[in-house]
Amino acid sequence: MNQVSFNPNEITVPNGCFFGFPYSVEEAAIVFLPVPWDVTTSYREATVNGTQAILDASLQLDWYDFDLPQAWQTKCGTIPINSDIQDKNRAMRAIAKEIIGDLETGGNVDDDAIAKQSD
């Protein structure tokens, strides 16, 4: 990636990196590892989408800081969201949903039905 192509005073172009920063993981001093995971979320599922939502929203940040005018030059890189993690989340979330459902209807963690799901 090329620092020259990034202008913190212009609209940020989506590039798969948090904040739209132009730094590769290899050159970064800070590396973000996005993990889309909501297997054990009991209230509502979909926090798995939070990683992408934060990535998308990060492009809207204003990089002017009176105390640190060149804050955007802190080299932050982003590891791409791993589709294998998303697939594993989907598979394990289905199992977790059944277990949570059993527990919400009075099941016990020691019940055979729950034990079979968690194997």
Side-chain angles (χ1 to χ4, degrees), residues 50-116:
T51 302
Q52 186 64 52
I54 293 168
L55 181 61
D56 294 343
S58 75
L59 301 176
Q60 300 301 317
L61 292 175
D62 183 354
W63 286 105
Y64 178 76
D65 184 310
F66 181 79
D67 294 319
L68 189 60
Q70 304 302 317
W72 67 273
Q73 290 180 343
T74 300
K75 293 182 177 179
C76 298
T78 304
I79 294 175
I81 295 173
N82 186 318
S83 62
D84 291 340
I85 292 174
Q86 290 175 310
D87 293 344
K88 185 83 163 174
N89 179 78
R90 267 190 291 283
M92 293 183 74
R93 177 65 189 161
I95 295 168
K97 239 174 131 170
E98 289 187 39
I99 293 171
I100 292 167
D102 286 344
L103 294 173
E104 288 176 337
T105 58
N108 185 299
V109 293
D110 296 323
D111 290 348
D112 288 339
I114 291 176
K116 287 179 187 174

Side-chain angles (χ1 to χ4, degrees), residues 7-43:
N7 183 339
N9 298 314
E10 291 183 358
I11 293 174
T12 305
V13 177
N15 63 1
C17 295
F18 281 100
F19 317 115
F21 280 177
Y23 307 110
S24 69
V25 169
E26 293 75 26
E27 68 184 312
I30 299 170
V31 175
F32 293 101
L33 173 62
V35 181
W37 194 258
D38 70 351
V39 171
T40 58
T41 304
S42 59
Y43 173 62

